[in-house]
Amino acid sequence: MSFQVVRDEVKRRIESRVWPQGSVLPTETQLAQEFDCARATVNRALRELAEQGFVERKRKSGTRVKMAPSKQARLEIAPPRHTVEAQNAAYRYALVERKVVTSPAWLASQLDVSPETRILHVLCMHYANNHPFQLEERWINIDVVPDVEQADLTQTSPHEWLLKAAPFTEAEVAFFATAADGRLAEFLATTRGIPVMQTERTTRLNGRPVTFARMTHHPGYRIRTSY
Amino acid sequence: MSFQVVRDEVKRRIESRVWPQGSVLPTETQLAQEFDCARATVNRALRELAEQGFVERKRKSGTRVKMAPSKQARLEIAPPRHTVEAQNAAYRYALVERKVVTSPAWLASQLDVSPETRILHVLCMHYANNHPFQLEERWINIDVVPDVEQADLTQTSPHEWLLKAAPFTEAEVAFFATAADGRLAEFLATTRGIPVMQTERTTRLNGRPVTFARMTHHPGYRIRTSY
């Protein structure tokens, strides 16, 4: 029997989960018996499957079906300061506006709060090397985070302030492309109609809405991750 | 001493990691002694911190500093069939083109292969209820995945075929917004210049490049996740 036949049968058993991820394969001697072939043939088959990433071979513990790499990318939703500084760029923050409002209807529905809910609305800019990096627009539920009403947001962005002061238990996030309208274009120093990426994020604390934020990234921004 | 003072001091110790995540707090009796106050005062402070999500209280094991929820979103990079069917829409796949080419220069640089490398280039469409859902353009390294040259991609998308046939150990992914050019607009049945989101993904097997894919999502597509 050729090593290819052994290799393909072992591969079939791994793919069909006869031998599930993380399980230990029979020994080469056992496989040689089952397939009625030389142990060297099994060895060659397993060596090739190891090169292809299907199995891991360890001197002591034998051959094990490799855990599939995670098919999930992980994205850290970090404050822009971290992202900018990680690129060795100079970070600058500017508060544009802060105002206590009652929840507009769209936000009441987004956060599932009553329209009378008091909300701190914050608009601020993040810069990298003095170029616009991100416009952050954020609505914070004063009922759940009462301290925010007195918070100094002239030096610290609401994102960073909340990270320290307001725990959350659940978050929802969405990424999408949109065309910059006149206001976005002005903040991001670009042209109206330019495609930009937005990130929207809602966090809750045991079901109670903490904050809704819409981050508009500068044109050309790429969210990257590896796994 | 008021319960607010106790609450704020406990909170400070949690935030400054004097009491790290997952650690068990001293008992209420111990804290009452330390703060020189009634046990009921400590109890009220801890109850409020539990409501705010800082600590968890269990009858038997006492009060524990809550593990912070993950600050990382997880994104599954699933074949469109899964995403479409999860929305209860009818999925349809169409192969537009497949062709063996030698690596164009930009791809050789992207994958870090020589320009003579033989590449299977595949262009295909994914539909949801007969509306364009995603254009998938993919380049597969035939050296690393020789079987793909004979693969039938008329019924199965290359993404799904690779998931079954070609393991990978590392992946890089990037999301960004772009304007649909004439070709994209035609495939996605939209207007030239419309903002669309693209996902680019490279996978490797123990360092060897397997595939590079560029997925263009239909206008209005939102990548969503919760954590």
Side-chain angles (χ1 to χ4, degrees):
Chain A
M1 182 173 296
S2 76
F3 84 90
Q4 289 97 336
V5 175
V6 176
R7 177 197 65 195
D8 291 349
E9 175 58 18
V10 170
K11 195 168 155 182
R12 191 197 62 76
R13 292 185 192 177
I14 291 172
E15 283 172 353
S16 60
R17 308 281 193 271
V18 173
W19 291 336
Q21 288 171 14
S23 66
V24 177
L25 263 56
T27 64
E28 292 188 3
T29 312
Q30 288 169 329
L31 289 171
Q33 269 173 3
E34 183 193 335
F35 291 117
D36 195 17
C37 67
R39 198 178 148 210
T41 307
V42 172
N43 185 279
R44 171 134 190 230
L46 294 183
R47 215 168 54 221
E48 194 164 302
L49 288 170
E51 278 164 15
Q52 292 175 12
F54 285 97
V55 299
E56 282 176 314
R57 313 185 76 205
K58 292 206 176 136
R59 196 176 285 264
K60 286 206 171 152
S61 52
T63 303
R64 191 182 281 275
V65 179
K66 206 161 172 176
M67 302 305 285
S70 168
K71 297 293 187 278
Q72 292 190 323
R74 274 148 221 254
L75 282 183
E76 185 142 16
I77 314 291
R81 176 193 298 278
H82 302 184
T83 317
V84 169
E85 289 179 348
Q87 294 166 3
N88 284 320
Y91 172 76
R92 186 163 66 82
Y93 163 75
L95 177 64
V96 178
E97 191 184 82
R98 68 175 286 167
K99 196 159 59 172
V100 174
V101 297
T102 54
S103 180
W106 68 266
L107 183 69
S109 129
Q110 172 77 34
L111 291 183
D112 198 16
V113 295
S114 86
E116 297 85 49
T117 307
R118 292 175 73 237
I119 298 286
L120 182 68
H121 175 229
V122 183
L123 190 66
C124 59
M125 276 295 300
H126 305 272
Y127 296 89
N129 290 337
N130 287 326
H131 295 293
F133 182 79
Q134 182 190 105
L135 175 69
E136 176 183 348
E137 188 161 20
R138 188 178 282 275
W139 293 263
I140 303 164
N141 187 348
I142 296 175
D143 280 356
V144 176
V145 194
D147 292 351
V148 78
E149 211 173 337
Q150 306 305 327
D152 176 8
L153 300 176
T154 59
Q155 306 301 317
T156 307
S157 75
H159 191 156
E160 286 185 68
W161 188 89
L162 284 166
L163 266 187
K164 287 206 175 166
F168 66 89
T169 50
E170 305 103 44
E172 277 165 55
V173 64
F175 309 95
F176 53 96
T178 194
D181 60 14
R183 173 169 161 276
L184 288 179
E186 195 167 322
F187 277 115
L188 296 172
T190 186
T191 318
R192 212 169 159 139
I194 281 281
V196 288
M197 192 157 55
Q198 290 189 320
T199 302
E200 287 184 352
R201 184 154 163 274
T202 305
T203 62
R204 293 173 202 277
L205 177 62
N206 303 320
R208 299 182 73 199
V210 174
T211 183
F212 172 74
R214 182 180 296 127
M215 279 78 79
T216 309
H217 307 280
H218 66 88
Y221 181 67
R222 294 167 76 96
I223 295 183
R224 291 167 186 280
T225 186
S226 57
Y227 54 104
Chain B
M1 184 172 294
S2 75
F3 84 92
Q4 289 97 335
V5 176
V6 176
R7 178 197 64 195
D8 291 348
E9 174 59 18
V10 170
K11 194 168 154 182
R12 190 196 64 73
R13 292 185 192 177
I14 291 172
E15 284 172 354
S16 61
R17 307 284 194 268
V18 173
W19 292 336
Q21 287 171 15
S23 66
V24 177
L25 262 58
T27 63
E28 292 188 2
T29 312
Q30 289 169 329
L31 289 171
Q33 269 173 5
E34 184 193 335
F35 291 117
D36 195 17
C37 67
R39 198 179 148 211
T41 307
V42 172
N43 184 278
R44 172 138 189 223
L46 294 183
R47 214 167 54 220
E48 193 165 304
L49 289 170
E51 278 163 16
Q52 292 175 11
F54 285 97
V55 298
E56 282 175 314
R57 312 185 76 204
K58 292 204 176 139
R59 197 177 284 263
K60 285 205 173 152
S61 53
T63 303
R64 189 181 283 274
V65 180
K66 206 161 173 175
M67 303 303 285
S70 167
K71 298 291 188 280
Q72 292 190 324
R74 276 148 221 250
L75 281 184
E76 184 142 16
I77 314 293
R81 176 194 297 279
H82 302 184
T83 318
V84 169
E85 289 179 348
Q87 294 166 4
N88 285 318
Y91 173 76
R92 187 163 65 82
Y93 163 76
L95 177 65
V96 177
E97 192 184 82
R98 67 174 285 165
K99 198 159 56 175
V100 173
V101 298
T102 54
S103 180
W106 68 266
L107 184 68
S109 131
Q110 172 77 33
L111 291 183
D112 199 15
V113 295
S114 88
E116 297 86 46
T117 307
R118 293 177 72 236
I119 298 285
L120 182 66
H121 174 227
V122 184
L123 190 65
C124 59
M125 276 295 300
H126 306 271
Y127 297 89
N129 290 337
N130 287 325
H131 295 292
F133 182 78
Q134 183 189 105
L135 175 70
E136 175 182 348
E137 189 162 21
R138 188 179 284 274
W139 293 263
I140 303 165
N141 187 348
I142 296 176
D143 279 357
V144 175
V145 194
D147 292 351
V148 79
E149 212 172 339
Q150 306 307 327
D152 176 7
L153 299 176
T154 59
Q155 306 301 317
T156 306
S157 75
H159 191 156
E160 286 185 67
W161 188 90
L162 285 166
L163 266 187
K164 287 206 176 166
F168 66 89
T169 49
E170 305 101 45
E172 276 166 54
V173 63
F175 308 95
F176 52 98
T178 194
D181 60 14
R183 172 170 161 277
L184 288 179
E186 195 168 320
F187 277 115
L188 296 172
T190 187
T191 318
R192 214 171 157 136
I194 281 281
V196 288
M197 193 156 53
Q198 290 189 321
T199 303
E200 287 184 351
R201 184 153 163 273
T202 305
T203 63
R204 292 172 203 277
L205 177 63
N206 302 320
R208 299 183 73 200
V210 175
T211 184
F212 172 73
R214 182 179 296 126
M215 279 77 80
T216 310
H217 307 280
H218 67 87
Y221 181 67
R222 294 167 77 96
I223 295 183
R224 291 167 186 280
T225 186
S226 56
Y227 54 103

